Amino acid sequence: MRRGARRLDGRAHLRLGDLLSEAGAALTARPARTLLTAMGTVLGVAALVATLGLARTAGTQIVTRFDELAATSVQVRPAGQGGFAGADTTVRSSIPWDAGDRLARLNGVRSAGTYTALGTKASRTVPLVDPTGRDVVQLPVVAVSGGTFDAVRARVRTGRFFDDGHNVRRDPVAVLGPAAAQRLNVTRVDQGPVVFVDERPLIIVGILDGVVRQPELLGAVIIPDGIARTRFGLRAPAEVQVDVAVGAAELIGSQAALALDPNQPERLRVAVPRSPRGVQEQVQADVNGLFVVLGAISLLIGAIGIANITLVSVLERVGEIGLRRAVGAARRHVAAQFLVESAAVGLLGGIIGASGGVLTVVAVSAARGWTPVLDPWLPLAAPLSGLAIGLLAGAYPAWKATAIEPITALRQGT
Amino acid sequence: MADVAPVVELVGVGRTFPGPPEVRALQDIDLVIPRGDYVSILGPSGSGKSTLLNLLGLLDRPTAGAFRLDGIDTSSLPEHRRAFLRGSRIGFVFQSFHLLNHRSIEENVELALLYSGVRPTQRRQRAAAALERVGLGHRLGFAPLTLSGGERQRVAIARAVVNRPSLLLADEPTGNLDDATTAQILDLFDELHAEGLTLAVTTHDADVARRAHRPVRIRDGRIEPIVAADPGIERP
């Protein structure tokens, strides 16, 4: 029975693997209780993950919609001018006539053109002897350059758009918006109908079907800058409409003024859409605030649940604790075991909760036809937060377990 | 070799629990248990018997005097060293077995080797050998609750001897067993003693006490003088 020499300086210790397997055995001995104990953490973590994930998903969704129209739209106007660009303000404008061509050379610009509203003018088609004058309608007139049709993403219904050639030659041509065409009773352009604006004729070369931007064009008579200069004394374009590639708005915003007015770029003001990143963050902040608080509260309840059950478990296992102490466990080994057990319950809750949260995000996204978006750190951080909750919750019961006197515990006969 | 020193040497040991009121549970205890001895510890409730058992098992520290286990002065050792000594040199057997019911009997025996750094494969071999030794080789893999009381106590004894302790402390080991089973357990103690194990057994049962080589009686916190001719026939 004797061993020859024993180490006198030995200290009690426990392998990590043994610690984990002892804790695992204790947890699997009562699987139902373990799962129920983890439930609070499951709900808390699931709520947090679902909240953060859905906020991210919804934020991205709003940005996607935002991109399609506004995020590719840039306007250049003279500085110090309000929203509406009227002909009377063009005196101060430093926008050159070839603004569209200049901007089209910039990388990221898909198309660009000038845009000047000239106010409403009396317009009619064929002269009729009509004392009531109902053949004359007041229509807004807009002067644009050839690139503007692309920049506002206009579609043609019949005929064609005028181009820079008409512009340079100062040809008396016009394109009608669909509403304007209806009021003037113009339905076809193949026979070269004429519209009289301020009693001077313009040949109608095309009728719009629709536009994506600048919807006021739908009811307007659209003429080239060239004829506008001749007939209406237009001095300079009031603004430039630019259609940019997705993501290029900020770049163009920083370059457009310099391209149009290299000597005094500060005389121009470039309107770019708000940064998508900012929009997204704001949406997330709105959604997150309340639900993160709710998730945190359910996590706290989860922690209290773990602490409670672990405490009950310590009291139930007084005999086991005494026994472990008797067979050589130091107090810290007993504490470590209960800490590992509660941490494992927390981790389990965190893993299940993270899975539930991710599934919730995917399910909601599927129902709404959204693209589910999740920060990559979230599925990793969620189980770790469960682990931390478990450790925190196990601290008091573990301390309680170390205070148990072995012989008292062993005499109780549990 | 450590064999020169007695397994247990208590010199002027006292244990006082601070009050109020202050309780002097043990006073001036001088006790030597040489290697290979087999003592029974007798005494009525409140005599200081369990306090002595706590001290012998290194689960408590004396407030006076010195306790040397295998010649090592344990009074001044830090807690983790005492835990190691307890795990490696003392085996415990309890009245109510204290087996972990949801673990197999081998795992219960292995528990005694868990905190002294024995490798898992070696733990399993030694646990199986210890169970074989107490006559439970045919029960490997069983859960404690499927065994009889006597078999469970034999699992507990296997657990107590698996790390080849210097001292086996048994606290009312037969209190929960019938006469026939008690006899088997006492026979097993005799065999272990014959193999060189040192035993200290507390009991109320005169038959159990009689199997020991000498009685140690405690009354009012002091050891009563030994009457060599009368080895402990006293009913509580």
Side-chain angles (χ1 to χ4, degrees):
Chain A
M1 297 294 289
R2 290 279 88 75
R3 272 192 295 177
R6 288 174 192 258
R7 286 193 303 154
L8 296 184
D9 60 341
R11 33 186 303 170
H13 66 285
L14 182 61
R15 291 160 196 282
L16 182 63
D18 289 337
L19 173 62
L20 295 179
S21 69
E22 287 296 304
L27 292 175
T28 50
R30 300 177 187 82
R33 173 193 284 199
T34 302
L35 280 179
L36 284 174
T37 309
M39 204 46 77
T41 317
V42 168
L43 292 177
V45 170
L48 275 180
V49 170
T51 303
L52 295 175
L54 282 177
R56 188 91 160 86
T57 300
T60 311
Q61 202 56 35
I62 288 165
V63 169
T64 309
R65 208 173 293 165
F66 185 84
D67 277 348
E68 292 196 339
L69 278 176
T72 55
S73 171
V74 172
Q75 287 95 35
V76 186
R77 300 193 181 96
Q81 179 185 311
F84 183 75
D88 51 337
T89 63
T90 60
V91 180
R92 290 184 284 124
S93 173
S94 62
I95 297 173
W97 294 109
D98 62 344
D101 290 338
R102 289 199 196 188
L103 291 185
R105 284 195 287 270
L106 294 180
N107 192 20
V109 172
R110 287 200 289 228
S111 52
T114 58
Y115 183 100
T116 312
L118 299 172
T120 52
K121 313 270 184 205
S123 311
R124 63 179 177 84
T125 45
V126 287
L128 293 176
V129 181
D130 180 357
T132 64
R134 273 185 298 184
D135 59 330
V136 179
V137 292
Q138 294 291 326
L139 288 177
V141 178
V142 178
V144 303
S145 65
T148 309
F149 291 107
D150 282 340
V152 300
R153 300 195 195 172
R155 299 179 302 280
V156 68
R157 178 187 294 165
T158 180
R160 53 164 296 190
F161 297 136
F162 52 77
D163 55 30
D164 284 333
H166 295 104
N167 205 352
V168 170
R169 292 189 300 272
R170 306 203 174 186
D171 287 339
V173 294
V175 170
L176 298 182
Q182 194 180 5
R183 292 181 71 185
L184 292 168
N185 277 320
V186 179
T187 55
R188 45 194 292 184
V189 297
D190 49 351
Q191 292 178 331
V194 170
V195 60
F196 294 84
V197 175
D198 281 356
E199 296 303 322
R200 281 180 287 183
L202 296 165
I203 300 165
I204 300 169
V205 296
I207 298 175
L208 293 184
D209 186 44
V211 293
V212 173
R213 300 197 183 101
Q214 305 300 118
E216 58 269 29
L217 288 177
L218 299 178
V221 176
I222 306 157
I223 60 174
D225 283 339
I227 193 69
R229 291 162 72 184
T230 308
R231 295 230 181 129
F232 303 109
L234 182 62
R235 306 267 289 273
E239 66 176 74
V240 187
Q241 289 285 336
V242 192
D243 184 34
V244 301
V246 175
E250 283 181 61
L251 175 73
I252 299 307
S254 67
Q255 295 174 344
L258 205 61
L260 296 180
D261 192 355
N263 294 323
Q264 287 178 281
E266 68 278 2
R267 287 196 292 180
L268 296 176
R269 190 168 60 85
V270 183
V272 295
R274 271 204 300 169
S275 160
R277 215 165 290 123
V279 174
Q280 185 179 335
E281 277 161 12
Q282 196 189 339
V283 168
Q284 276 186 24
D286 292 347
V287 182
N288 284 0
L290 180 64
F291 286 95
V292 166
V293 168
L294 286 178
I297 288 173
S298 28
L299 264 189
L300 185 68
I301 293 170
I304 293 171
I306 294 180
N308 188 26
I309 302 292
T310 310
L311 200 57
V312 168
S313 166
V314 166
L315 297 179
E316 276 180 359
R317 289 156 66 187
V318 157
E320 180 191 331
I321 294 165
L323 175 72
R324 287 182 187 275
R325 294 288 305 283
V327 297
R331 285 183 200 273
R332 60 196 159 84
H333 297 136
V334 172
Q337 183 175 346
F338 281 96
L339 270 182
V340 167
E341 284 182 24
S342 64
V345 170
L347 182 66
L348 179 74
I351 291 172
I352 299 176
S355 318
V358 170
L359 285 179
T360 305
V361 172
V362 171
V364 170
S365 300
R368 294 288 187 89
W370 291 349
T371 308
V373 179
L374 216 57
D375 284 315
W377 54 265
L378 197 58
L380 294 174
L384 290 181
S385 71
L387 183 79
I389 289 289
L391 274 177
L392 203 67
Y396 175 67
W399 174 78
K400 202 78 176 154
T402 63
I404 287 170
E405 288 303 327
I407 278 289
T408 321
L410 293 166
R411 283 243 163 126
Q412 280 176 1
T414 39
Chain B
M1 290 292 281
D3 290 78
V4 187
V7 175
V8 170
E9 194 177 5
L10 297 176
V11 183
V13 162
R15 178 68 172 96
T16 304
F17 293 99
E22 192 179 77
V23 177
R24 312 185 79 182
L26 289 177
Q27 296 177 61
D28 296 329
I29 302 284
D30 294 306
L31 176 64
V32 174
I33 304 178
R35 197 162 300 286
D37 202 355
Y38 183 176
V39 301
S40 61
I41 300 171
L42 299 124
S45 297
S47 59
K49 198 172 48 168
S50 47
T51 307
L52 179 61
L53 203 72
N54 276 340
L55 293 179
L56 290 178
L58 293 175
L59 293 166
D60 193 9
R61 290 171 192 260
T63 47
F67 170 27
R68 283 189 282 277
L69 176 70
D70 286 342
I72 305 162
D73 187 358
T74 62
S75 318
S76 57
L77 291 180
E79 172 63 27
H80 63 265
R81 292 277 309 278
R82 289 165 57 87
F84 179 77
L85 282 182
R86 189 162 68 229
S88 58
R89 290 173 189 251
I90 296 171
F92 289 89
V93 175
F94 309 97
Q95 179 174 1
S96 48
F97 322 139
H98 283 295
L99 301 175
L100 302 181
N101 289 331
H102 54 273
R103 312 290 286 275
S104 73
I105 61 173
E106 294 102 299
E107 286 177 321
N108 269 284
V109 175
E110 278 184 46
L111 194 68
L113 301 170
L114 192 65
Y115 298 96
S116 31
V118 181
R119 296 189 171 284
T121 48
Q122 212 189 342
R123 280 211 302 265
R124 273 190 287 281
Q125 288 168 4
R126 284 169 67 174
L131 285 166
E132 200 77 50
R133 172 67 195 80
V134 299
L136 288 176
H138 60 299
R139 293 285 194 236
L140 294 183
F142 277 51
L145 289 181
T146 62
L147 304 181
S148 71
E151 285 175 319
R152 284 191 229 173
Q153 192 58 301
R154 279 194 273 166
V155 174
I157 292 169
R159 183 181 61 201
V161 300
V162 69
N163 58 356
R164 301 177 198 126
S166 305
L167 175 65
L168 189 140
L169 285 177
D171 186 16
E172 301 281 356
T174 58
N176 282 1
L177 302 177
D178 60 34
D179 287 349
T181 321
T182 296
Q184 289 173 8
I185 296 297
L186 292 178
D187 287 346
L188 181 56
F189 279 172
D190 282 345
E191 289 173 32
L192 293 171
H193 176 236
E195 290 169 17
L197 186 66
T198 310
L199 293 96
V201 180
T202 70
T203 184
H204 285 109
D205 187 333
D207 293 335
V208 174
R210 202 178 292 116
R211 298 287 283 265
H213 285 198
R214 67 184 173 106
V216 174
R217 287 203 186 80
I218 301 185
R219 193 178 292 274
D220 297 332
R222 292 173 190 273
I223 293 182
E224 292 191 338
I226 295 168
V227 184
D230 179 19
I233 308 170
E234 180 185 274
R235 300 193 181 274

